[in-house]
Amino acid sequence: MKQNSVYDCQIIKLPKIHSDAGNLTAVNNSSDIPFDIQRVYYLYDIPSGAERGGHAHRNLHQILIAASGAFNAVLDDGENKKIVTLNRPDYGLMIVPGIWRELNEFSSGAICLVLASEKYDAEDYFRDYEIFMDVKS
Ligand code: T46
């Protein structure tokens, strides 16, 4: 995680099956994304102006998808920052371990769907930015 940079966090184009009645995206472990999914969660009912995140992970790989609406992910590896706008349900942002992230600019009704490589573990989080920076340096 020490060496990972914001440039290792890339957009992954997910499959999209078109239909006149709407579109469908299916995500298959390992073939459509580079890890097996152990957990799915989603952020919703997000009030205007709210921010989420404000932490980094030791081991967790995640893919963030704007299942509805739009939001920004602000990525920080301790040296470089990158802002990614997510606004398409068939695009996922892969976030590797060791990246501080903040989510903001949620549109009304936005849903942030997250595919995660591990089950929830509170010990996997850095929630103090100074400690995160110490580990990265
Ligand atoms: C991330 C962003 C995008 C659980 O009990 N189980 C879970 O799987 C998760 C993710 C959270 N929680 C509990 C822990 C806290 O008491 O839910 C509460 C809110 O979690 P947190 O403050 O971490 O929420 P966000 O939206 O700031 O961050 C979450 C993920 O934790 C994080 O990995 O990248 O969504």
Side-chain angles (χ1 to χ4, degrees):
M1 73 143 257
K2 189 168 177 173
Q3 293 80 10
N4 284 345
S5 87
V6 294
Y7 304 109
D8 298 312
C9 300
Q10 299 290 343
I11 291 288
I12 295 178
K13 173 76 176 78
L14 301 168
K16 181 176 178 180
I17 301 168
H18 296 272
S19 146
D20 289 345
N23 300 319
L24 185 152
T25 290
V27 181
N28 293 279
N29 276 349
S30 305
S31 52
D32 295 319
I33 61 170
F35 58 80
D36 282 342
I37 300 164
Q38 294 293 328
R39 176 169 51 117
V40 175
Y41 64 91
Y42 38 99
L43 311 176
Y44 57 99
D45 290 346
I46 302 159
S48 173
E51 298 191 349
R52 308 285 308 212
H55 52 251
H57 286 279
R58 288 178 164 80
N59 296 308
L60 190 70
H61 289 73
Q62 290 173 297
I63 292 179
L64 275 54
I65 301 166
S68 182
F71 58 88
N72 284 347
V74 182
L75 307 178
D76 175 358
D77 59 22
E79 196 171 332
N80 308 290
K81 286 192 179 186
K82 183 162 98 168
I83 300 177
V84 181
T85 298
L86 291 168
N87 55 13
R88 291 181 56 162
D90 57 335
Y91 278 67
L93 171 64
M94 167 98 166
I95 304 182
V96 296
I99 305 295
W100 192 270
R101 88 288 316 271
E102 288 168 12
L103 308 181
N104 59 28
E105 304 287 338
F106 287 92
S107 68
S108 174
I111 298 175
C112 171
L113 174 66
V114 183
L115 311 178
S117 66
E118 311 291 338
K119 294 196 168 68
Y120 178 69
D121 176 8
E123 300 299 313
D124 190 61
Y125 286 72
F126 290 100
R127 291 192 181 268
D128 182 317
Y129 189 72
E130 285 186 16
I131 294 173
F132 167 73
M133 287 299 287
D134 282 349
V135 171
K136 290 295 274 188
S137 60

